[in-house]
Amino acid sequence: MSKISIVFDRVRAEEKMLQKEAESLGYDTTSIDAKTTRFSTESKKSDYDFGNVVLERCVSYYRGLHFTACLEFLGIPVINTFEVANNCGNKMLTSLLLSKNKVPTPKTYFSFSAEAARENLDKVGYPLVIKPIVGSWGRSVVPLKDKDTVDALFEIREYTDGPHDRIFYLQEMVKRPPRDLRAIIVGDEVVAAMYRKSSGFKTNIALGADAELCKITKEIEDLCVRASKAVGGGILGIDMMEDEKRGLVVHEVNNTVEFKGLAKVATKNIPKTMVEFAVNSVRK
Amino acid sequence: MNCPDCDGNINVPADASVGEIVSCPDCGADFEIAKKGGSIELKQAETVGEDWGE
């Protein structure tokens, strides 16, 4: 019998659903708190009981990423892998990989000082959207529509001066309807998709956007598979926008995708599909 | 259980698991259900970090 571990740092509805489905499928299932687990350079796989495969579900990106590194050091399979988590957790790496693999994605401009970012803005023109390279739920995603906004925001960055504040990720403001699309892909299977509707600029469910089930078209399916392959594959949330001219463009790929809302309306059992994928991935 | 901050009464559901968050109805503080030894305790919940999310 396969044993599966779910690594968490905060138990949300998603982690409870995964645990329930794994148990229903008959797998020996354990939930492990990343905050109380210790590793060292001397650690061995036999020191732990993580089972055959681990689903990494930490809400803190860096905690999950580094925990995954420790698990892979021990030779324990993790969904998603360190490489995939790293590719998706950093928006700049995601954009580069999407573009490199010819996945339609918004034009995005990178610079490594406020001065160079201003030059990008002068050259490309307003508006652009500034996003932190690490972050989620729409935090600190700001449309830059004029010089005053830029001056204020860049000044704040100078004072906060976190390591990520020196990386300026500026993205074109895509002309789209007041919604975007989120699809969940597990391996090569797009299991569910939804529109996220908002009257405001941001369409994050965490910020109150309304969710509506979306039919999975061939275009959505193809794009999700290509985006997933571009970052390394696994269990992912693909965010897309409907550009007026280009059609669908992928703007983000999420590594520890939330699915509480979508699971209620989806025709497929999302957590069950995720558990089966994880177990089957180590049987191959 | 009693709120570590205001001593209000926090209802911890019977099916709650370690790692879940409960809130004090009196003062609104959030606590994480934790296990110490064989017993359950409430510890201050972490605040939302810059790297939190999906």
Side-chain angles (χ1 to χ4, degrees), chain A residues 7-35:
Chain A
V7 169
F8 69 90
D9 55 2
R10 172 174 284 209
V11 172
R12 297 164 290 178
E14 284 86 352
E15 286 71 49
K16 292 173 92 168
M17 282 190 258
L18 288 165
Q19 166 111 21
K20 188 179 161 212
E21 289 301 334
E23 287 171 350
S24 298
L25 287 164
Y27 300 126
D28 183 5
T29 311
T30 313
S31 286
I32 293 169
D33 188 347
K35 304 191 299 302

Side-chain angles (χ1 to χ4, degrees), chain B residues 2-49:
Chain B
N2 288 351
C3 173
D5 281 4
C6 76
D7 209 32
N9 186 31
I10 298 177
N11 177 34
V12 178
D15 63 348
S17 54
V18 169
E20 271 190 67
I21 303 298
V22 289
S23 299
C24 173
D26 290 356
C27 70
D30 290 335
F31 298 95
E32 180 182 333
I33 301 170
K35 208 171 193 176
K36 196 172 185 181
S39 59
I40 294 293
E41 64 170 17
L42 296 179
K43 66 178 188 185
Q44 208 79 40
E46 291 184 324
T47 51
V48 176

Side-chain angles (χ1 to χ4, degrees), chain A residues 89-105:
Chain A
N90 183 313
K91 289 184 180 65
M92 193 182 100
L93 297 185
T94 309
S95 293
L96 291 172
L97 284 167
L98 291 172
S99 181
K100 193 172 187 179
N101 288 279
K102 307 206 180 325
V103 178
T105 191

Side-chain angles (χ1 to χ4, degrees), chain A residues 10-251:
Chain A
R10 172 174 284 209
V11 172
R12 297 164 290 178
E14 284 86 352
E15 286 71 49
K16 292 173 92 168
M17 282 190 258
L18 288 165
Q19 166 111 21
K20 188 179 161 212
E21 289 301 334
E23 287 171 350
S24 298
L25 287 164
Y27 300 126
D28 183 5
T29 311
T30 313
S31 286
I32 293 169
D33 188 347
K35 304 191 299 302
T36 58
T37 306
R38 291 173 290 126
F39 298 100
S40 81
T41 48
E42 309 305 306
S43 295
K44 294 179 186 65
K45 190 176 181 179
S46 56
D47 298 337
Y48 303 88
D49 188 17
F50 283 106
N52 306 85
V53 64
V54 170
L55 277 171
E56 189 279 298
R57 293 285 316 171
C58 288
V59 71
S60 159
Y61 163 62
Y62 282 118
R63 182 180 278 143
L65 182 73
H66 289 79
F67 201 98
T68 299
C70 289
L71 291 174
E72 291 187 352
F73 163 74
L74 297 175
I76 297 165
V78 192
I79 307 290
N80 291 318
T81 65
F82 178 90
E83 185 190 0
V84 172
N86 195 45
N87 288 342
C88 297
N90 183 313
K91 289 184 180 65
M92 193 182 100
L93 297 185
T94 309
S95 293
L96 291 172
L97 284 167
L98 291 172
S99 181
K100 193 172 187 179
N101 288 279
K102 307 206 180 325
V103 178
T105 191
K107 287 176 193 161
T108 310
Y109 307 89
F110 316 112
S111 45
F112 307 95
S113 70
E115 190 186 355
R118 283 178 202 281
E119 285 172 13
N120 259 339
L121 276 155
D122 289 342
K123 192 177 168 195
V124 179
Y126 295 93
L128 287 176
V129 180
I130 188 165
K131 298 181 178 183
I133 54 162
V134 172
S136 203
W137 301 332
R139 247 188 336 265
S140 301
V141 174
V142 180
L144 302 177
K145 295 181 178 174
D146 54 54
K147 188 175 175 299
D148 286 347
T149 312
V150 170
D151 287 345
L153 199 80
F154 286 11
E155 187 181 334
I156 291 169
R157 279 197 169 202
E158 263 179 48
Y159 289 124
T160 49
D161 196 31
H164 298 141
D165 290 333
R166 296 160 207 155
I167 319 293
F168 292 79
Y169 177 103
L170 301 170
Q171 193 162 71
E172 71 169 303
M173 190 178 272
V174 172
K175 286 184 182 152
R176 58 167 171 84
R179 64 184 188 187
D180 76 351
L181 277 92
R182 156 67 59 86
I184 294 178
I185 185 166
V186 178
D188 287 336
E189 183 186 2
V190 181
V191 290
M194 64 175 163
Y195 290 112
R196 304 187 298 183
K197 296 180 170 179
S198 169
S199 55
F201 165 69
K202 298 179 188 179
T203 52
N204 305 79
I205 296 292
L207 298 176
D210 295 320
E212 184 185 304
L213 203 59
C214 168
K215 186 176 180 290
I216 302 167
T217 62
K218 185 82 173 65
E219 184 191 10
I220 292 174
E221 197 171 8
D222 288 347
L223 197 55
C224 288
V225 169
R226 286 168 60 199
S228 171
K229 284 194 188 334
V231 297
I235 296 174
L236 299 163
I238 314 285
D239 291 349
M240 293 158 278
M241 289 188 275
E242 301 153 283
D243 182 89
E244 278 178 0
K245 290 179 182 165
R246 290 169 291 180
L248 290 175
V249 292
V250 176
H251 59 285

